[in-house]
């Protein structure tokens, strides 16, 4: 969390994350170079750079797109999510290296400008199989560029998490474009089937992960039945673990009901930062802590502790016997609600 | 994520789960199979036995040869290709002639051995070999044969 904006708000985890990330990138590029020089001695440096950065960018994109659903499947993957933006920016820089080298090498020596050449050197736009594959790569790179430059919290705050998330969902379009870039490009020019097989495995993994998580989440989003007084039944109070929450779906959004210090409080499940699932976090130092990036909220009023200014909606609770009920109509964001004592 | 984003996310992947495998397999199974190209060359003429003129530098060796039975040939061993898209070889029969007066012999490709048959009258009068780029319209090299 931060009150102002800094280029990067470094902490120990981010430094560790970036060190591991850069080490793996260097390791991949070194291995790729050594193996290529062993098995293809005639390769020229330009081709080596284009191939190494292209394959690495595709691999990194698969990793990035897997992190979200993996973190939903198992909280042990949450540390990967924490600094995913740095991974995304690095992936863009590697993809841009691939793109710039390719444009210069394949289109830089024509009588027309390289970008013009990119679009007109192959004009078979009406054919799917012979479609100029570089164009797919170019537009994918533009999307990745847009995402990289808007990745900072400044844009997240100013565009609103909803718009920012929608903008960054364009990565799925970029993935589709890159699939065609690879399938109509390198797969057509290489005789080995392993490039297509590797991409196919990556595609299958992503489809299975995202669809299975999407279906699992949609099962949670079943509207809870309202009682006569408008409240909805949550669960038995003993089902909520200490310092953690039970999540229910009511009034078209998820609500997180936390148990702590013999009390209950309910707030919106949606974090103000990146819409992270607050109900999957826990109470640390008296604050509900988002599992994604550690944004914190006080359970009784849904506001971040000073000097931070984020606030989420709060809800009214009642306890009948051991059964917890919540009124799904939210109070205004940051409204103080006296925690419900568990008798 | 909030409910709307979760739904959008699921719909995108529902679309992708249908569309991307179709595109993937369509592209894979319709990949054009490159036809292997076999370059066909006319057999190089046999080297004539008698060398009567020769010039050599680091890039090439040029010889004029004959068999003393009215057969003549120009032989060129090109060690280093010209950095030009369309090099060609021309000859001049007069020491004072310019490129405009020279005669075309052949286009040349990369490095290697070349032999060109010559008319006896021409072979005896060659004074200069000119290498010219037909694309860039410029003289690449001139070699005097004395």
């Amino acid at each position: 969390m931060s009150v102002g904006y800094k280029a990067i708000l470094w902490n120990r985890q981010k430094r560790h994350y970036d060190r591991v990330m850069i080490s793996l990138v260097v390791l991949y590029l070194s291995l790729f170079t050594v193996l290529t020089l062993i098995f293809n001695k005639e390769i020229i440096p330009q081709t080596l750079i284009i191939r190494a950065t292209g394959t690495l960018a595709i691999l990194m994109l698969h990793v990035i797109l897997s992190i979200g659903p993996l973190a939903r499947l198992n909280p042990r993957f949450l540390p990967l999510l924490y600094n995913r933006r740095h991974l995304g920016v690095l992936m863009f820089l590697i993809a841009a290296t691939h793109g710039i080298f390719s444009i210069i090498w394949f289109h830089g020596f024509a009588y027309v400008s390289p970008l013009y050449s990119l679009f007109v050197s192959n004009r078979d736009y009406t054919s799917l199989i012979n479609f100029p594959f570089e164009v797919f790569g170019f537009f994918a790179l533009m999307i990745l560029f847009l995402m990289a430059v808007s990745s900072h919290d400044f844009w997240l705050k100013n565009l609103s998490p909803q718009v920012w998330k929608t903008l960054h969902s364009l990565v799925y379009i970029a993935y589709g474009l890159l699939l065609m870039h690879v399938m109509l490009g390198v797969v057509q020019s290489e005789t080995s089937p392993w490039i297509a097989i590797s991409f196919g495995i990556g595609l299958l993994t992503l489809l299975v992960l995202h669809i299975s998580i999407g279906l699992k989440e949609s099962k949670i989003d079943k509207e809870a039945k309202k009682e006569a007084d408008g409240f909805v039944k949550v669960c038995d109070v003993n089902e909520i673990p200490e310092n953690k929450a039970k999540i229910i779906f009511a009034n078209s959004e998820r609500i997180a009901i936390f148990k702590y210090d013999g009390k209950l409080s309910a707030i919106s499940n949606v974090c103000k930062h990146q819409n992270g699932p607050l109900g999957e976090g826990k109470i640390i130092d008296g604050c509900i802590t988002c599992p994604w990036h550690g944004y914190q909220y006080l359970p009784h009023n849904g506001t971040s502790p000073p000097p931070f200014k984020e606030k989420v909606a709060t809800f009214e609770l009642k306890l009948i016997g051991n059964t917890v009920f919540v009124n799904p109509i939210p109070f205004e964001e940051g409204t103080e609600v006296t925690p419900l004592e568990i008798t | 994520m909030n409910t709307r984003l979760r739904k959008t996310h699921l719909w995108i992947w529902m679309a992708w789960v249908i569309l991307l495998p179709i595109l993937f397999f369509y592209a894979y199974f319709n990949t054009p199979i490159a036809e292997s190209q076999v370059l066909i060359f006319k057999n190089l003429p046999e080297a004539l036995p008698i060398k009567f003129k020769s010039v050599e530098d680091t890039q090439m060796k040029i010889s004029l040869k004959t068999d003393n039975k009215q057969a003549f040939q120009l032989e060129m061993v090109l060690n280093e290709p010209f950095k030009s898209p369309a090099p060609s070889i021309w000859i001049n029969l007069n020491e004072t002639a310019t490129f405009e007066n020279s005669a075309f012999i052949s286009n040349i490709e990369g490095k290697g051995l070349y032999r060109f048959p010559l008319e006896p009258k021409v072979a005896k009068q060659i004074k200069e070999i000119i290498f010219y780029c037909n694309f860039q319209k410029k003289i690449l090299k001139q070699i005097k044969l004395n």
Side-chain angles (χ1 to χ4, degrees), chain A residues 111 128-129 162 165-166 172-173 175-176 180 183-184 188 193 196 200 203 207 210-211 214 217 221 249 252-254 275, chain B residues 1-10 12-18 20-21 23-28 30-32 135:
Chain A
Y111 286 113
L128 178 61
I129 286 302
Q162 184 83 13
K165 276 274 180 193
T166 306
Y172 304 131
I173 307 294
Y175 182 74
M180 295 313 290
M183 292 308 293
L184 300 182
Q188 284 198 3
L203 171 65
L207 289 175
H210 281 270
I211 292 292
E217 294 286 324
D221 289 345
F249 186 78
S252 304
E253 197 47 87
R254 291 183 184 179
N275 292 171
Chain B
M1 281 196 272
N2 63 19
T3 309
R4 195 180 75 80
L5 282 170
R6 267 195 303 277
K7 279 185 181 164
T8 310
H9 188 270
L10 182 59
I12 290 171
W13 283 98
M14 290 290 236
W16 267 177
V17 82
I18 297 165
L20 293 188
L23 289 171
F24 179 88
F25 287 111
Y26 182 82
Y28 186 72
N30 287 286
T31 297
F135 185 77

Side-chain angles (χ1 to χ4, degrees), chain B residues 2 26 28 44 49 65 72 93 97 101 104 112 136-137 141 145:
Chain B
N2 63 19
Y26 182 82
Y28 186 72
L44 203 62
K65 292 184 167 183
F72 289 84
L93 303 182
N101 307 116
F104 174 74
Q136 295 167 319
K137 307 288 180 207
K141 190 167 190 162
L145 279 175

Side-chain angles (χ1 to χ4, degrees), chain A residues 229-245:
Chain A
D229 57 0
F231 278 71
V232 296
K233 184 181 167 185
V234 179
C235 62
D236 189 288
V237 71
N238 296 312
E239 287 178 34
I240 309 175
E242 183 66 15
N243 289 327
K244 289 193 172 180

Side-chain angles (χ1 to χ4, degrees), chain A residues 70-229:
Chain A
L70 283 174
R72 307 289 303 143
L73 271 178
N74 192 326
R76 279 187 297 182
F77 289 102
L78 276 170
L80 292 177
L81 188 77
Y82 177 65
N83 210 18
R84 187 171 52 171
R85 277 184 283 180
H86 283 202
L87 192 54
V89 171
L90 184 62
M91 185 269 291
F92 161 71
L93 292 175
I94 290 164
T97 307
H98 168 81
I100 290 166
F101 263 84
S102 302
I103 288 173
I104 292 172
W105 187 236
F106 295 113
H107 299 276
F109 304 102
Y111 286 113
V112 292
S113 81
L115 273 183
Y116 184 71
S117 168
L118 178 93
F119 286 98
V120 300
S121 57
N122 173 6
R123 300 184 193 201
D124 213 349
Y125 284 95
T126 52
S127 159
L128 178 61
I129 286 302
N130 296 318
F131 196 92
F133 73 96
E134 297 102 323
V135 174
F136 287 120
F138 177 82
F139 283 111
L141 190 61
M142 288 301 101
I143 291 176
L144 297 180
F145 169 74
L146 200 62
M147 290 173 61
V149 295
S150 65
S151 66
H152 196 270
D153 270 355
F154 173 83
W155 291 105
L156 175 60
K157 181 87 176 174
N158 286 287
L159 291 173
S160 83
Q162 184 83 13
V163 174
W164 189 86
K165 276 274 180 193
T166 306
L167 174 73
H168 283 237
S169 297
L170 288 175
V171 70
Y172 304 131
I173 307 294
Y175 182 74
L177 293 169
L178 286 174
L179 177 124
M180 295 313 290
H181 177 66
V182 171
M183 292 308 293
L184 300 182
V186 67
V187 169
Q188 284 198 3
S189 59
E190 290 289 323
T191 49
S192 166
W194 284 106
I195 297 169
I197 291 171
S198 309
F199 202 105
I201 291 169
L203 171 65
L204 184 67
T205 307
L206 287 183
L207 289 175
V208 168
L209 276 174
H210 281 270
I211 292 292
S212 56
I213 286 299
L215 293 175
K216 187 182 162 198
E217 294 286 324
S218 66
K219 278 183 192 161
I220 300 170
D221 289 345
K222 292 273 184 287
E223 192 74 34
K225 194 180 163 193
K226 276 186 189 175
E227 304 287 321
D229 57 0

Side-chain angles (χ1 to χ4, degrees), chain B residues 91-102:
Chain B
I91 52 168
N92 251 338
L93 303 182
N94 190 323
E95 270 182 28
T96 56
T98 59
F99 175 69
E100 284 69 32
N101 307 116
S102 57

